[in-house]
Amino acid sequence: MPSIFDQIGGSAAVSAVVDEFYQRVVADPMLRGYFADVDMDKLKAHQRSFVAAALGGPQEYRGKSMDVAHAGLGITAEEFDQVVVHLAGALESCGVDGETIGAIAGALAPLKDQVVQSQAVA
């Protein structure tokens, strides 16, 4: 059975989804502050590698772990969920079917605990 990576169209599809995803995220008032001083070309390259590997593509992700990459950012559960909404929208706009989007969301759900920073109580 082909991987999700192959089912959605391989590297070209992943690249299109990542571009669409970041257009949505950077335009979102809740999220745009996280990207103000970020090298977007570098971030997109990392994201393409991560997504391709996560979807069963031939690439090996060699970036930071999710908890290290997001440490100190103070990302909330609400913000994580909003990112997932934008990813689903980007996938849909690039022609990925609902069942596959659900499978991708399910694969990303365990990352929430690594990305979301527990809120310190003063």
Side-chain angles (χ1 to χ4, degrees):
M1 182 169 169
S3 67
I4 293 175
F5 175 82
D6 292 327
Q7 290 174 30
I8 68 168
S11 295
V14 168
S15 184
V17 167
V18 168
D19 288 343
E20 175 69 21
F21 168 73
Y22 279 114
Q23 285 179 11
R24 291 167 181 254
V25 169
V26 172
D28 188 321
M30 179 192 295
L31 304 172
R32 72 169 58 123
Y34 289 106
F35 302 94
D37 296 319
V38 173
D39 179 340
M40 292 304 291
D41 290 334
K42 184 176 176 182
L43 181 60
K44 285 180 181 182
H46 279 291
Q47 189 72 5
R48 284 190 295 271
S49 174
F50 173 76
V51 170
L55 300 182
Q59 296 82 351
E60 181 179 332
Y61 176 69
R62 296 175 188 223
K64 297 175 184 174
S65 65
M66 290 299 105
D67 54 346
V68 170
H70 297 91
L73 295 178
I75 297 170
T76 66
E78 181 183 17
E79 290 165 335
F80 180 92
D81 293 343
Q82 187 69 4
V83 167
V84 173
V85 166
H86 288 307
L87 178 58
L91 288 160
E92 184 178 14
S93 75
C94 290
V96 178
D97 65 87
E99 184 178 336
T100 303
I101 292 171
I104 293 168
L108 296 177
L111 298 177
K112 188 172 187 173
D113 288 341
Q114 297 175 41
V115 173
V116 172
Q117 307 292 303
S118 58
Q119 301 300 308
V121 178

